[in-house]
Amino acid sequence: MKRILSIFVYALAIAFNSIAQEKAKVIVNGLQLCDTYTRTQMYEALGGTPDKIEAEMEEPGSFWFYYGKDVFYWRYDGMDAYKDGINNHCFGGCRLCTDRYVVFDSIRVGDPVSKLKTVPGMTKDHPRKYKDGKCVGGGYVEWYQSEELRRDGIGVMFHYDELTKIINRIHIYVLFL
């Protein structure tokens, strides 16, 4: 009986491990979403010190890094937010409005939305919707690794110009629970 229980626990551990490894790997300028980095690593990947840093008032130890129009969110990841300055912070997302940064090692603001077909994973187009002649939403392509992981807490949206089909903004976020 102990042996059957051990085999069951071992098989369950393998299954959970493979699910965890399947989790989407979203990378921006070499930084993987949900991984932790030091301030030095952040600055190196993003091109130096930000123009402005704002502390997130509702989440002590979390910060918004502003690089012109581009914004990166860093979430506290540890016991003492200020022990090592802003070390051990989790990359929690970004809003990209310029072509300065690259997503998935190949996609930038300014690229045609059709370039998303070269990225492994799945996409769903959400074209603009109009009501009484006014835009009421849409105009983005949602990316996700697989149908099973579509609602894994990671959002990746490529907003585009409806006429030119050119990406004009990229929004990446994590739903921290």
Side-chain angles (χ1 to χ4, degrees):
M1 183 65 164
K2 281 185 180 180
R3 187 168 191 199
I4 292 173
L5 183 59
S6 296
I7 291 171
F8 176 73
V9 169
Y10 182 70
L12 199 56
I14 290 172
F16 280 121
N17 188 37
S18 66
I19 290 168
Q21 287 177 357
E22 273 187 55
K23 195 122 172 124
K25 291 189 187 314
V26 179
I27 298 173
V28 179
N29 265 41
L31 300 172
Q32 184 170 318
L33 195 67
C34 298
D35 275 3
T36 57
Y37 297 94
T38 65
R39 180 181 283 224
T40 301
Q41 290 170 317
M42 291 182 236
Y43 289 173
E44 285 175 5
L46 301 177
T49 57
D51 302 327
K52 178 172 87 170
I53 299 175
E54 276 184 6
E56 173 61 55
M57 301 311 278
E58 293 180 16
E59 229 178 295
S62 297
F63 299 87
W64 297 96
F65 282 20
Y66 292 83
Y67 288 86
K69 294 179 180 181
D70 303 308
V71 183
F72 293 83
Y73 178 68
W74 297 93
R75 182 175 174 265
Y76 163 60
D77 189 29
M79 294 299 289
D80 184 356
Y82 300 99
K83 181 179 178 186
D84 297 315
I86 154 173
N87 287 343
N88 302 321
H89 273 67
C90 177
F91 176 33
C94 58
R95 183 187 69 229
L96 306 176
C97 298
T98 70
D99 64 359
R100 184 175 180 182
Y101 303 99
V102 64
V103 179
F104 299 121
D105 295 325
S106 63
I107 307 291
R108 296 177 186 272
V109 168
D111 285 341
V113 101
S114 61
K115 194 171 180 183
L116 288 170
K117 292 178 183 175
T118 65
V119 177
M122 301 179 76
T123 59
K124 179 170 178 163
D125 191 8
H126 298 271
R128 291 195 188 275
K129 294 178 182 146
Y130 295 91
K131 184 175 183 180
D132 299 326
K134 293 184 181 180
C135 180
V136 292
Y140 67 92
V141 173
E142 175 187 15
W143 175 92
Y144 44 98
Q145 186 163 338
S146 67
E147 191 61 46
E148 296 80 33
L149 295 175
R150 184 166 183 198
R151 302 288 176 222
D152 65 354
I154 294 175
V156 183
M157 293 179 282
F158 296 87
H159 298 264
Y160 62 90
D161 179 279
E162 188 132 343
L163 295 174
T164 63
K165 304 293 187 202
I166 299 294
I167 298 168
N168 56 26
R169 186 168 34 108
I170 302 170
H171 187 199
I172 299 170
Y173 60 92
V174 177
L175 298 173
F176 292 106
L177 302 176

